[in-house]
Structure formats: structure tokens, C-alpha cells
PDB file of all heavy atoms in Angstrom:
ATOM      1  N   LEU F   1      50.932  32.900 -71.029  1.00  0.00           N
ATOM      2  CA  LEU F   1      52.373  32.889 -71.291  1.00  0.00           C
ATOM      3  C   LEU F   1      52.912  34.272 -71.064  1.00  0.00           C
ATOM      4  O   LEU F   1      52.630  35.219 -71.872  1.00  0.00           O
ATOM      5  CB  LEU F   1      52.719  32.417 -72.624  1.00  0.00           C
ATOM      6  CG  LEU F   1      51.889  31.150 -73.071  1.00  0.00           C
ATOM      7  CD1 LEU F   1      52.054  30.772 -74.505  1.00  0.00           C
ATOM      8  CD2 LEU F   1      52.210  29.929 -72.197  1.00  0.00           C
ATOM      9  N   ILE F   2      53.736  34.495 -70.039  1.00  0.00           N
ATOM     10  CA  ILE F   2      54.250  35.869 -69.767  1.00  0.00           C
ATOM     11  C   ILE F   2      55.737  35.866 -69.943  1.00  0.00           C
ATOM     12  O   ILE F   2      56.472  35.229 -69.120  1.00  0.00           O
ATOM     13  CB  ILE F   2      53.829  36.298 -68.260  1.00  0.00           C
ATOM     14  CG1 ILE F   2      52.314  36.193 -68.064  1.00  0.00           C
ATOM     15  CG2 ILE F   2      54.350  37.683 -68.005  1.00  0.00           C
ATOM     16  CD1 ILE F   2      51.886  34.976 -67.345  1.00  0.00           C
ATOM     17  N   LEU F   3      56.179  36.585 -70.966  1.00  0.00           N
ATOM     18  CA  LEU F   3      57.592  36.547 -71.324  1.00  0.00           C
ATOM     19  C   LEU F   3      58.215  37.927 -71.169  1.00  0.00           C
ATOM     20  O   LEU F   3      57.676  38.932 -71.572  1.00  0.00           O
ATOM     21  CB  LEU F   3      57.781  36.073 -72.785  1.00  0.00           C
ATOM     22  CG  LEU F   3      57.052  34.806 -73.150  1.00  0.00           C
ATOM     23  CD1 LEU F   3      57.348  34.411 -74.561  1.00  0.00           C
ATOM     24  CD2 LEU F   3      57.451  33.651 -72.266  1.00  0.00           C
ATOM     25  N   GLY F   4      59.360  37.986 -70.525  1.00  0.00           N
ATOM     26  CA  GLY F   4      60.054  39.255 -70.296  1.00  0.00           C
ATOM     27  C   GLY F   4      61.339  39.326 -71.039  1.00  0.00           C
ATOM     28  O   GLY F   4      62.111  38.367 -71.033  1.00  0.00           O
ATOM     29  N   TYR F   5      61.613  40.470 -71.618  1.00  0.00           N
ATOM     30  CA  TYR F   5      62.829  40.700 -72.410  1.00  0.00           C
ATOM     31  C   TYR F   5      63.460  42.001 -72.043  1.00  0.00           C
ATOM     32  O   TYR F   5      62.771  42.982 -71.769  1.00  0.00           O
ATOM     33  CB  TYR F   5      62.505  40.693 -73.899  1.00  0.00           C
ATOM     34  CG  TYR F   5      61.892  39.446 -74.434  1.00  0.00           C
ATOM     35  CD1 TYR F   5      60.512  39.335 -74.522  1.00  0.00           C
ATOM     36  CD2 TYR F   5      62.645  38.422 -74.956  1.00  0.00           C
ATOM     37  CE1 TYR F   5      59.923  38.200 -74.988  1.00  0.00           C
ATOM     38  CE2 TYR F   5      62.066  37.230 -75.470  1.00  0.00           C
ATOM     39  CZ  TYR F   5      60.740  37.125 -75.474  1.00  0.00           C
ATOM     40  OH  TYR F   5      60.151  35.993 -75.975  1.00  0.00           O
ATOM     41  N   ARG F   6      64.799  42.047 -72.092  1.00  0.00           N
ATOM     42  CA  ARG F   6      65.482  43.259 -71.883  1.00  0.00           C
ATOM     43  C   ARG F   6      65.431  44.150 -73.109  1.00  0.00           C
ATOM     44  O   ARG F   6      65.197  45.333 -73.046  1.00  0.00           O
ATOM     45  CB  ARG F   6      66.936  43.089 -71.455  1.00  0.00           C
ATOM     46  CG  ARG F   6      67.746  44.303 -71.255  1.00  0.00           C
ATOM     47  CD  ARG F   6      69.078  43.970 -70.598  1.00  0.00           C
ATOM     48  NE  ARG F   6      68.835  43.529 -69.188  1.00  0.00           N
ATOM     49  CZ  ARG F   6      69.792  43.046 -68.490  1.00  0.00           C
ATOM     50  NH1 ARG F   6      71.059  42.906 -68.896  1.00  0.00           N
ATOM     51  NH2 ARG F   6      69.542  42.650 -67.182  1.00  0.00           N
ATOM     52  N   ASP F   7      65.733  43.556 -74.257  1.00  0.00           N
ATOM     53  CA  ASP F   7      65.735  44.303 -75.489  1.00  0.00           C
ATOM     54  C   ASP F   7      65.145  43.435 -76.696  1.00  0.00           C
ATOM     55  O   ASP F   7      63.995  43.588 -76.943  1.00  0.00           O
ATOM     56  CB  ASP F   7      67.165  44.779 -75.848  1.00  0.00           C
ATOM     57  CG  ASP F   7      68.231  43.781 -75.484  1.00  0.00           C
ATOM     58  OD1 ASP F   7      68.063  42.599 -75.803  1.00  0.00           O
ATOM     59  OD2 ASP F   7      69.259  44.211 -74.936  1.00  0.00           O
ATOM     60  N   SER F   8      65.956  42.614 -77.270  1.00  0.00           N
ATOM     61  CA  SER F   8      65.532  41.797 -78.459  1.00  0.00           C
ATOM     62  C   SER F   8      64.566  40.676 -78.060  1.00  0.00           C
ATOM     63  O   SER F   8      64.681  40.085 -76.989  1.00  0.00           O
ATOM     64  CB  SER F   8      66.722  41.192 -79.166  1.00  0.00           C
ATOM     65  OG  SER F   8      67.536  40.411 -78.223  1.00  0.00           O
ATOM     66  N   LEU F   9      63.559  40.516 -78.887  1.00  0.00           N
ATOM     67  CA  LEU F   9      62.486  39.567 -78.681  1.00  0.00           C
ATOM     68  C   LEU F   9      62.706  38.332 -79.519  1.00  0.00           C
ATOM     69  O   LEU F   9      63.332  38.429 -80.640  1.00  0.00           O
ATOM     70  CB  LEU F   9      61.114  40.071 -78.968  1.00  0.00           C
ATOM     71  CG  LEU F   9      60.451  40.943 -77.929  1.00  0.00           C
ATOM     72  CD1 LEU F   9      61.213  42.190 -77.694  1.00  0.00           C
ATOM     73  CD2 LEU F   9      59.038  41.356 -78.403  1.00  0.00           C
ATOM     74  N   PHE F  10      62.297  37.149 -79.045  1.00  0.00           N
ATOM     75  CA  PHE F  10      62.397  35.920 -79.832  1.00  0.00           C
ATOM     76  C   PHE F  10      61.362  34.866 -79.321  1.00  0.00           C
ATOM     77  O   PHE F  10      60.969  34.927 -78.192  1.00  0.00           O
ATOM     78  CB  PHE F  10      63.819  35.337 -79.813  1.00  0.00           C
ATOM     79  CG  PHE F  10      64.374  35.154 -78.412  1.00  0.00           C
ATOM     80  CD1 PHE F  10      64.168  34.027 -77.715  1.00  0.00           C
ATOM     81  CD2 PHE F  10      65.072  36.220 -77.814  1.00  0.00           C
ATOM     82  CE1 PHE F  10      64.764  33.807 -76.433  1.00  0.00           C
ATOM     83  CE2 PHE F  10      65.630  36.030 -76.509  1.00  0.00           C
ATOM     84  CZ  PHE F  10      65.429  34.873 -75.858  1.00  0.00           C
ATOM     85  N   LEU F  11      60.982  33.993 -80.258  1.00  0.00           N
ATOM     86  CA  LEU F  11      60.056  32.845 -79.957  1.00  0.00           C
ATOM     87  C   LEU F  11      58.637  33.264 -79.692  1.00  0.00           C
ATOM     88  O   LEU F  11      57.807  32.412 -79.422  1.00  0.00           O
ATOM     89  CB  LEU F  11      60.526  32.019 -78.832  1.00  0.00           C
ATOM     90  CG  LEU F  11      61.945  31.298 -79.024  1.00  0.00           C
ATOM     91  CD1 LEU F  11      62.236  30.477 -77.716  1.00  0.00           C
ATOM     92  CD2 LEU F  11      61.829  30.373 -80.213  1.00  0.00           C
ATOM     93  N   GLN F  12      58.232  34.566 -79.831  1.00  0.00           N
ATOM     94  CA  GLN F  12      56.847  34.927 -79.550  1.00  0.00           C
ATOM     95  C   GLN F  12      55.846  34.225 -80.453  1.00  0.00           C
ATOM     96  O   GLN F  12      54.781  33.813 -79.995  1.00  0.00           O
ATOM     97  CB  GLN F  12      56.572  36.454 -79.640  1.00  0.00           C
ATOM     98  CG  GLN F  12      57.624  37.322 -79.101  1.00  0.00           C
ATOM     99  CD  GLN F  12      58.584  37.809 -80.142  1.00  0.00           C
ATOM    100  OE1 GLN F  12      59.549  37.108 -80.460  1.00  0.00           O
ATOM    101  NE2 GLN F  12      58.403  38.941 -80.694  1.00  0.00           N
ATOM    102  N   ASN F  13      56.200  34.135 -81.743  1.00  0.00           N
ATOM    103  CA  ASN F  13      55.238  33.487 -82.651  1.00  0.00           C
ATOM    104  C   ASN F  13      54.993  31.959 -82.330  1.00  0.00           C
ATOM    105  O   ASN F  13      53.905  31.497 -82.451  1.00  0.00           O
ATOM    106  CB  ASN F  13      55.746  33.633 -84.084  1.00  0.00           C
ATOM    107  CG  ASN F  13      55.679  35.043 -84.595  1.00  0.00           C
ATOM    108  OD1 ASN F  13      54.850  35.814 -84.160  1.00  0.00           O
ATOM    109  ND2 ASN F  13      56.566  35.386 -85.541  1.00  0.00           N
ATOM    110  N   GLU F  14      56.050  31.365 -81.860  1.00  0.00           N
ATOM    111  CA  GLU F  14      55.917  29.934 -81.435  1.00  0.00           C
ATOM    112  C   GLU F  14      54.981  29.855 -80.194  1.00  0.00           C
ATOM    113  O   GLU F  14      54.125  28.938 -80.109  1.00  0.00           O
ATOM    114  CB  GLU F  14      57.239  29.289 -81.179  1.00  0.00           C
ATOM    115  CG  GLU F  14      58.077  29.007 -82.463  1.00  0.00           C
ATOM    116  CD  GLU F  14      59.040  30.102 -82.783  1.00  0.00           C
ATOM    117  OE1 GLU F  14      58.701  31.275 -82.488  1.00  0.00           O
ATOM    118  OE2 GLU F  14      60.138  29.826 -83.343  1.00  0.00           O
ATOM    119  N   PHE F  15      55.224  30.678 -79.221  1.00  0.00           N
ATOM    120  CA  PHE F  15      54.416  30.652 -78.054  1.00  0.00           C
ATOM    121  C   PHE F  15      52.954  30.930 -78.278  1.00  0.00           C
ATOM    122  O   PHE F  15      52.040  30.398 -77.617  1.00  0.00           O
ATOM    123  CB  PHE F  15      55.010  31.606 -76.947  1.00  0.00           C
ATOM    124  CG  PHE F  15      56.076  31.003 -76.139  1.00  0.00           C
ATOM    125  CD1 PHE F  15      57.394  31.164 -76.550  1.00  0.00           C
ATOM    126  CD2 PHE F  15      55.773  30.224 -75.035  1.00  0.00           C
ATOM    127  CE1 PHE F  15      58.404  30.616 -75.736  1.00  0.00           C
ATOM    128  CE2 PHE F  15      56.794  29.688 -74.270  1.00  0.00           C
ATOM    129  CZ  PHE F  15      58.131  29.898 -74.589  1.00  0.00           C
ATOM    130  N   LYS F  16      52.686  31.900 -79.236  1.00  0.00           N
ATOM    131  CA  LYS F  16      51.262  32.250 -79.480  1.00  0.00           C
ATOM    132  C   LYS F  16      50.397  31.102 -79.860  1.00  0.00           C
ATOM    133  O   LYS F  16      49.178  31.079 -79.622  1.00  0.00           O
ATOM    134  CB  LYS F  16      51.255  33.326 -80.619  1.00  0.00           C
ATOM    135  CG  LYS F  16      51.705  34.703 -80.172  1.00  0.00           C
ATOM    136  CD  LYS F  16      51.736  35.644 -81.402  1.00  0.00           C
ATOM    137  CE  LYS F  16      52.177  36.996 -80.930  1.00  0.00           C
ATOM    138  NZ  LYS F  16      52.234  37.959 -82.176  1.00  0.00           N
ATOM    139  N   LYS F  17      51.029  30.029 -80.423  1.00  0.00           N
ATOM    140  CA  LYS F  17      50.209  28.905 -80.822  1.00  0.00           C
ATOM    141  C   LYS F  17      49.701  27.974 -79.682  1.00  0.00           C
ATOM    142  O   LYS F  17      48.898  27.163 -79.861  1.00  0.00           O
ATOM    143  CB  LYS F  17      51.083  27.985 -81.750  1.00  0.00           C
ATOM    144  CG  LYS F  17      51.540  28.665 -83.040  1.00  0.00           C
ATOM    145  CD  LYS F  17      52.561  27.835 -83.766  1.00  0.00           C
ATOM    146  CE  LYS F  17      53.188  28.534 -84.956  1.00  0.00           C
ATOM    147  NZ  LYS F  17      54.176  27.629 -85.624  1.00  0.00           N
ATOM    148  N   HIS F  18      50.255  28.253 -78.416  1.00  0.00           N
ATOM    149  CA  HIS F  18      50.018  27.379 -77.375  1.00  0.00           C
ATOM    150  C   HIS F  18      49.452  27.975 -76.135  1.00  0.00           C
ATOM    151  O   HIS F  18      49.397  27.348 -75.054  1.00  0.00           O
ATOM    152  CB  HIS F  18      51.285  26.614 -77.017  1.00  0.00           C
ATOM    153  CG  HIS F  18      51.907  25.912 -78.183  1.00  0.00           C
ATOM    154  ND1 HIS F  18      51.376  24.782 -78.747  1.00  0.00           N
ATOM    155  CD2 HIS F  18      53.070  26.212 -78.910  1.00  0.00           C
ATOM    156  CE1 HIS F  18      52.135  24.400 -79.801  1.00  0.00           C
ATOM    157  NE2 HIS F  18      53.124  25.264 -79.856  1.00  0.00           N
ATOM    158  N   GLY F  19      48.912  29.217 -76.207  1.00  0.00           N
ATOM    159  CA  GLY F  19      48.376  29.851 -75.093  1.00  0.00           C
ATOM    160  C   GLY F  19      48.234  31.412 -75.305  1.00  0.00           C
ATOM    161  O   GLY F  19      48.497  31.854 -76.450  1.00  0.00           O
ATOM    162  N   THR F  20      47.754  32.118 -74.392  1.00  0.00           N
ATOM    163  CA  THR F  20      47.594  33.570 -74.527  1.00  0.00           C
ATOM    164  C   THR F  20      48.928  34.188 -74.042  1.00  0.00           C
ATOM    165  O   THR F  20      49.385  34.024 -72.973  1.00  0.00           O
ATOM    166  CB  THR F  20      46.503  34.074 -73.629  1.00  0.00           C
ATOM    167  OG1 THR F  20      45.273  33.266 -73.909  1.00  0.00           O
ATOM    168  CG2 THR F  20      46.194  35.508 -73.875  1.00  0.00           C
ATOM    169  N   LEU F  21      49.408  35.010 -75.026  1.00  0.00           N
ATOM    170  CA  LEU F  21      50.808  35.562 -74.766  1.00  0.00           C
ATOM    171  C   LEU F  21      50.736  36.998 -74.268  1.00  0.00           C
ATOM    172  O   LEU F  21      49.996  37.842 -74.766  1.00  0.00           O
ATOM    173  CB  LEU F  21      51.564  35.574 -76.103  1.00  0.00           C
ATOM    174  CG  LEU F  21      52.950  36.147 -76.099  1.00  0.00           C
ATOM    175  CD1 LEU F  21      53.879  35.334 -75.165  1.00  0.00           C
ATOM    176  CD2 LEU F  21      53.600  36.261 -77.505  1.00  0.00           C
ATOM    177  N   TYR F  22      51.550  37.340 -73.252  1.00  0.00           N
ATOM    178  CA  TYR F  22      51.761  38.631 -72.756  1.00  0.00           C
ATOM    179  C   TYR F  22      53.265  38.890 -72.663  1.00  0.00           C
ATOM    180  O   TYR F  22      54.031  37.987 -72.241  1.00  0.00           O
ATOM    181  CB  TYR F  22      51.194  38.739 -71.306  1.00  0.00           C
ATOM    182  CG  TYR F  22      49.703  38.455 -71.263  1.00  0.00           C
ATOM    183  CD1 TYR F  22      49.235  37.192 -71.040  1.00  0.00           C
ATOM    184  CD2 TYR F  22      48.714  39.452 -71.466  1.00  0.00           C
ATOM    185  CE1 TYR F  22      47.862  36.872 -71.007  1.00  0.00           C
ATOM    186  CE2 TYR F  22      47.383  39.175 -71.370  1.00  0.00           C
ATOM    187  CZ  TYR F  22      46.954  37.808 -71.184  1.00  0.00           C
ATOM    188  OH  TYR F  22      45.640  37.504 -71.111  1.00  0.00           O
ATOM    189  N   VAL F  23      53.699  40.058 -73.125  1.00  0.00           N
ATOM    190  CA  VAL F  23      55.107  40.374 -73.188  1.00  0.00           C
ATOM    191  C   VAL F  23      55.417  41.627 -72.356  1.00  0.00           C
ATOM    192  O   VAL F  23      54.594  42.626 -72.342  1.00  0.00           O
ATOM    193  CB  VAL F  23      55.590  40.547 -74.643  1.00  0.00           C
ATOM    194  CG1 VAL F  23      56.982  41.079 -74.680  1.00  0.00           C
ATOM    195  CG2 VAL F  23      55.429  39.277 -75.437  1.00  0.00           C
ATOM    196  N   ALA F  24      56.535  41.579 -71.662  1.00  0.00           N
ATOM    197  CA  ALA F  24      56.990  42.779 -70.939  1.00  0.00           C
ATOM    198  C   ALA F  24      58.424  43.115 -71.478  1.00  0.00           C
ATOM    199  O   ALA F  24      59.263  42.165 -71.656  1.00  0.00           O
ATOM    200  CB  ALA F  24      57.035  42.538 -69.476  1.00  0.00           C
ATOM    201  N   THR F  25      58.690  44.358 -71.691  1.00  0.00           N
ATOM    202  CA  THR F  25      60.064  44.763 -72.029  1.00  0.00           C
ATOM    203  C   THR F  25      60.455  45.906 -71.121  1.00  0.00           C
ATOM    204  O   THR F  25      59.625  46.743 -70.717  1.00  0.00           O
ATOM    205  CB  THR F  25      60.142  45.226 -73.474  1.00  0.00           C
ATOM    206  OG1 THR F  25      59.096  46.226 -73.770  1.00  0.00           O
ATOM    207  CG2 THR F  25      59.949  44.140 -74.486  1.00  0.00           C
ATOM    208  N   GLU F  26      61.690  45.937 -70.860  1.00  0.00           N
ATOM    209  CA  GLU F  26      62.173  46.981 -69.793  1.00  0.00           C
ATOM    210  C   GLU F  26      61.955  48.438 -70.321  1.00  0.00           C
ATOM    211  O   GLU F  26      61.666  49.300 -69.518  1.00  0.00           O
ATOM    212  CB  GLU F  26      63.672  46.777 -69.530  1.00  0.00           C
ATOM    213  CG  GLU F  26      63.975  45.537 -68.737  1.00  0.00           C
ATOM    214  CD  GLU F  26      65.422  45.434 -68.264  1.00  0.00           C
ATOM    215  OE1 GLU F  26      66.252  46.334 -68.653  1.00  0.00           O
ATOM    216  OE2 GLU F  26      65.761  44.408 -67.675  1.00  0.00           O
ATOM    217  N   ASP F  27      62.144  48.583 -71.665  1.00  0.00           N
ATOM    218  CA  ASP F  27      61.961  49.980 -72.143  1.00  0.00           C
ATOM    219  C   ASP F  27      60.563  50.231 -72.698  1.00  0.00           C
ATOM    220  O   ASP F  27      60.260  51.374 -73.260  1.00  0.00           O
ATOM    221  CB  ASP F  27      62.983  50.190 -73.290  1.00  0.00           C
ATOM    222  CG  ASP F  27      62.864  49.256 -74.438  1.00  0.00           C
ATOM    223  OD1 ASP F  27      61.879  48.407 -74.480  1.00  0.00           O
ATOM    224  OD2 ASP F  27      63.666  49.358 -75.376  1.00  0.00           O
ATOM    225  N   GLY F  28      59.598  49.223 -72.618  1.00  0.00           N
ATOM    226  CA  GLY F  28      58.252  49.495 -73.130  1.00  0.00           C
ATOM    227  C   GLY F  28      58.154  49.504 -74.577  1.00  0.00           C
ATOM    228  O   GLY F  28      57.115  49.852 -75.184  1.00  0.00           O
ATOM    229  N   SER F  29      59.204  49.007 -75.360  1.00  0.00           N
ATOM    230  CA  SER F  29      59.105  49.005 -76.780  1.00  0.00           C
ATOM    231  C   SER F  29      58.086  48.020 -77.294  1.00  0.00           C
ATOM    232  O   SER F  29      57.685  48.082 -78.453  1.00  0.00           O
ATOM    233  CB  SER F  29      60.444  48.719 -77.355  1.00  0.00           C
ATOM    234  OG  SER F  29      60.968  47.481 -76.891  1.00  0.00           O
ATOM    235  N   TYR F  30      57.722  47.013 -76.487  1.00  0.00           N
ATOM    236  CA  TYR F  30      56.768  45.978 -76.856  1.00  0.00           C
ATOM    237  C   TYR F  30      56.039  45.579 -75.660  1.00  0.00           C
ATOM    238  O   TYR F  30      56.626  45.241 -74.581  1.00  0.00           O
ATOM    239  CB  TYR F  30      57.470  44.825 -77.553  1.00  0.00           C
ATOM    240  CG  TYR F  30      56.491  43.879 -78.281  1.00  0.00           C
ATOM    241  CD1 TYR F  30      56.248  43.944 -79.630  1.00  0.00           C
ATOM    242  CD2 TYR F  30      55.901  42.865 -77.580  1.00  0.00           C
ATOM    243  CE1 TYR F  30      55.361  43.095 -80.242  1.00  0.00           C
ATOM    244  CE2 TYR F  30      55.025  41.959 -78.190  1.00  0.00           C
ATOM    245  CZ  TYR F  30      54.777  42.073 -79.549  1.00  0.00           C
ATOM    246  OH  TYR F  30      53.855  41.220 -80.146  1.00  0.00           O
ATOM    247  N   GLY F  31      54.738  45.447 -75.672  1.00  0.00           N
ATOM    248  CA  GLY F  31      53.963  45.041 -74.534  1.00  0.00           C
ATOM    249  C   GLY F  31      53.978  45.962 -73.390  1.00  0.00           C
ATOM    250  O   GLY F  31      54.025  47.164 -73.506  1.00  0.00           O
ATOM    251  N   THR F  32      54.038  45.349 -72.165  1.00  0.00           N
ATOM    252  CA  THR F  32      54.021  46.089 -70.975  1.00  0.00           C
ATOM    253  C   THR F  32      55.436  46.649 -70.676  1.00  0.00           C
ATOM    254  O   THR F  32      56.413  45.957 -70.843  1.00  0.00           O
ATOM    255  CB  THR F  32      53.595  45.195 -69.764  1.00  0.00           C
ATOM    256  OG1 THR F  32      52.262  44.776 -69.980  1.00  0.00           O
ATOM    257  CG2 THR F  32      53.655  45.991 -68.478  1.00  0.00           C
ATOM    258  N   GLU F  33      55.539  47.929 -70.268  1.00  0.00           N
ATOM    259  CA  GLU F  33      56.779  48.435 -69.881  1.00  0.00           C
ATOM    260  C   GLU F  33      57.044  48.024 -68.386  1.00  0.00           C
ATOM    261  O   GLU F  33      56.276  48.238 -67.543  1.00  0.00           O
ATOM    262  CB  GLU F  33      56.727  49.985 -69.875  1.00  0.00           C
ATOM    263  CG  GLU F  33      58.112  50.597 -69.499  1.00  0.00           C
ATOM    264  CD  GLU F  33      58.122  52.117 -69.598  1.00  0.00           C
ATOM    265  OE1 GLU F  33      57.106  52.731 -70.081  1.00  0.00           O
ATOM    266  OE2 GLU F  33      59.154  52.727 -69.219  1.00  0.00           O
ATOM    267  N   GLY F  34      58.199  47.312 -68.228  1.00  0.00           N
ATOM    268  CA  GLY F  34      58.537  46.822 -66.936  1.00  0.00           C
ATOM    269  C   GLY F  34      58.846  45.376 -66.982  1.00  0.00           C
ATOM    270  O   GLY F  34      59.445  44.904 -67.934  1.00  0.00           O
ATOM    271  N   ASN F  35      58.502  44.640 -65.929  1.00  0.00           N
ATOM    272  CA  ASN F  35      58.803  43.210 -65.799  1.00  0.00           C
ATOM    273  C   ASN F  35      57.582  42.341 -65.954  1.00  0.00           C
ATOM    274  O   ASN F  35      56.470  42.789 -66.165  1.00  0.00           O
ATOM    275  CB  ASN F  35      59.650  42.929 -64.524  1.00  0.00           C
ATOM    276  CG  ASN F  35      58.812  43.291 -63.273  1.00  0.00           C
ATOM    277  OD1 ASN F  35      57.583  43.072 -63.191  1.00  0.00           O
ATOM    278  ND2 ASN F  35      59.446  43.876 -62.265  1.00  0.00           N
ATOM    279  N   VAL F  36      57.816  40.992 -65.795  1.00  0.00           N
ATOM    280  CA  VAL F  36      56.785  40.046 -65.929  1.00  0.00           C
ATOM    281  C   VAL F  36      55.603  40.214 -64.997  1.00  0.00           C
ATOM    282  O   VAL F  36      54.470  40.071 -65.289  1.00  0.00           O
ATOM    283  CB  VAL F  36      57.270  38.587 -65.908  1.00  0.00           C
ATOM    284  CG1 VAL F  36      58.167  38.277 -67.187  1.00  0.00           C
ATOM    285  CG2 VAL F  36      58.076  38.301 -64.650  1.00  0.00           C
TER     286      VAL F  36
END
């Protein structure tokens, strides 16, 4: 599950129950800096 956010994050906890989660944020504040 690869989710990309510009700033605020949501629904990550729900997604974690159903697969391996990877997150990208534009500013690098969480997960990978950049895009999906």
C-alpha cells in the first residue's frame, strides 16, 4: 500500500491492517520524501 500526501496524513492506521504500508510526503516529514 503506497500512499502519497502533500501535508496532512489520514487513514494510515486502517491501511496497516490490510497490507504493508509505505508513505511518501512532499516535504519528507513522514516516510519517503517525494512521491509514490
Side-chain angles (χ1 to χ4, degrees):
L1 316 171
I2 303 101
L3 308 182
Y5 300 91
R6 177 168 293 171
D7 39 43
S8 55
L9 279 63
F10 50 91
L11 297 179
Q12 317 95 278
N13 290 334
E14 287 94 328
F15 273 95
K16 285 178 182 176
K17 300 173 185 175
H18 305 290
T20 307
L21 178 65
Y22 302 89
V23 172
T25 51
E26 289 187 2
D27 61 4
S29 57
Y30 191 95
T32 298
E33 180 177 358
N35 59 38
V36 290

